[in-house]
Amino acid sequence: MTRAMTTAKPKVRRAVHGILLLDKPRGISSNAALQAVKRLYGAEKGGHTGNLDPLATGMLPICLGEATKISAFLLDADKHYRTRCLLGVETDSGDSEGKPTQTRPVPEVLNREVIEAALASFRGEIDQIPPMYSALKYQGQPLYKLARQGQEIERSPRRVNIRRLELMALESPCLELEVECSKGTYIRSLVEDIGRKLGCGAHVMELRRLASMPFGGMPMYSLSRLEAIVAEGGWEALDPLLLKADSALPHLPELVLSPALAALLRQGQAVRSDTPPTSGLLRLYAGEGREFMGVGRVLEDGRIGPKRLIFGQK
């Protein structure tokens, strides 16, 4: 456990706003990682943008302060993973932290051609059954809690899109895969299904999230790196690592409003602009200084209404 996990909670909290791209370590939950970042920043408010399994490492965008208001838009983002999986053994959790449930021999002929034939059937849109060890809820209870009690709940398949699925390394009985996928995709379920397609089963040994869009290729920061920065320069030394809230929304068209219209919108009133898109959501900015206001929406009558406004960031 890192020192960040045991640091005493500061007596004073501050208003700090932005998005940190955390490189989550293995062995802690996404919520524990969030709480560690909040402590290091001394932040009043924070939230993460979708769970990473305790076994998983890699990119976990953390929204602080007013940026938490746009975190919901990141839940729909595509993800990019690299995973190492073991063929021949299935576990109750779908990964190496679970208990083995079935062992079968790995095919004697296991080459790239055989694996590629199996992978081909999982590219594109597929139906996937979520694992029992997941944060999805049944009658108000997370499935993973029911799984730990020995219960098995029937789950409906969900449509996901596997945009890219490539074999990166083969050293039987281990495979390394890279996956680019839509929201809601469970890599553990995908690996299990690939193993069954090969006739031997499989589970995840290692899982790393390389990117959560739109932050592909951007630097991540580990808890140990954040601790070192705080030790040298205090809370404020971490602030330059934060991305602005609108960096999460490059896919939305932007609209710059006059200061007068921006003031009305902030009061909850719909306004009419000369050049709005015809429909959908918008990134809203105020005046020549381009202060980011948050997300608006085009109403049926063509006016612009508030969807999710933020304060305190330019």
Side-chain angles (χ1 to χ4, degrees):
M1 183 174 291
T2 69
R3 199 169 66 230
M5 302 301 294
T6 57
T7 301
K9 186 175 181 180
K11 294 180 180 180
V12 179
R13 293 282 175 161
R14 64 187 181 121
V16 56
H17 312 290
I19 302 170
L20 177 79
L21 301 183
L22 178 69
D23 188 347
K24 187 188 87 68
R26 181 169 178 155
I28 66 172
S29 69
S30 295
N31 186 62
L34 164 64
Q35 298 308 319
V37 170
K38 285 180 62 181
R39 285 193 291 271
L40 287 165
Y41 269 90
E44 292 177 338
K45 182 169 63 172
H48 62 70
T49 56
N51 282 306
L52 265 180
D53 294 339
L55 171 139
T57 66
M59 186 177 287
L60 180 66
I62 301 288
C63 295
L64 299 176
E66 289 293 295
T68 58
K69 294 179 180 179
I70 57 87
S71 61
F73 298 97
L74 289 170
L75 294 175
D76 293 338
D78 285 0
K79 308 296 192 297
H80 181 188
Y81 296 94
R82 187 166 187 136
T83 183
R84 181 173 174 82
C85 47
L86 178 67
L87 299 175
V89 180
E90 293 188 8
T91 70
D92 57 3
S93 63
D95 60 33
S96 58
E97 295 190 340
K99 299 177 181 178
T101 57
Q102 190 169 30
T103 301
R104 284 176 284 180
V106 176
E108 292 184 7
V109 179
L110 188 66
N111 52 37
R112 286 185 173 268
E113 290 73 22
V114 171
I115 295 169
E116 176 58 34
L119 297 183
S121 61
F122 294 98
R123 297 189 181 107
E125 291 193 351
I126 62 171
D127 288 324
Q128 186 181 77
I129 297 177
M132 273 299 298
Y133 280 85
S134 69
L136 296 177
K137 291 186 177 181
Y138 174 77
Q139 296 182 349
Q141 285 286 322
L143 288 180
Y144 67 82
K145 288 188 176 181
L146 299 176
R148 289 169 182 166
Q149 297 168 9
Q151 298 185 51
E152 179 79 17
I153 305 299
E154 184 176 353
R155 287 96 65 205
S156 299
R158 294 163 32 151
R159 198 74 169 168
V160 298
N161 194 335
I162 308 299
R163 307 190 194 283
R164 173 173 165 257
L165 175 59
E166 288 191 25
L167 175 65
M168 307 304 294
L170 167 60
E171 188 175 342
S172 184
C174 294
L175 308 177
E176 281 194 20
L177 305 171
E178 278 202 16
V179 186
E180 294 178 13
C181 55
S182 65
K183 69 168 185 176
T185 302
Y186 287 91
I187 302 302
R188 285 175 290 138
S189 294
L190 178 63
V191 165
E192 285 181 319
D193 290 341
I194 291 171
R196 289 164 187 162
K197 186 77 173 181
L198 291 169
C200 59
H203 70 267
V204 168
M205 298 171 64
E206 299 173 9
L207 179 62
R208 181 163 179 78
R209 185 189 282 169
L210 302 176
S212 179
M213 303 309 292
F215 303 118
M218 300 187 71
M220 296 180 272
Y221 300 93
S222 67
L223 288 176
S224 59
R225 175 61 179 150
L226 299 180
E227 285 184 286
I229 293 173
V230 170
E232 184 173 341
W235 287 343
E236 292 79 4
L238 292 175
D239 293 354
L241 307 183
L242 294 175
L243 303 173
K244 293 182 178 180
D246 59 344
S247 66
L249 307 168
H251 59 291
L252 297 183
E254 68 172 54
L255 181 65
V256 180
L257 297 173
S258 69
L261 291 180
L264 290 173
L265 196 75
R266 284 192 170 116
Q267 295 170 11
Q269 299 183 43
V271 300
R272 192 173 298 279
S273 173
D274 293 335
T275 58
T278 57
S279 64
L281 300 178
L282 310 168
R283 278 180 292 142
L284 298 177
Y285 297 86
E288 294 182 1
R290 291 178 57 84
E291 178 186 356
F292 180 54
M293 297 175 57
V295 178
R297 55 177 178 160
V298 181
L299 305 178
E300 291 183 0
D301 62 3
R303 293 182 301 160
I304 308 301
K307 173 70 174 178
R308 192 66 59 84
L309 301 186
I310 74 170
F311 301 86
Q313 275 207 303
K314 293 186 177 180

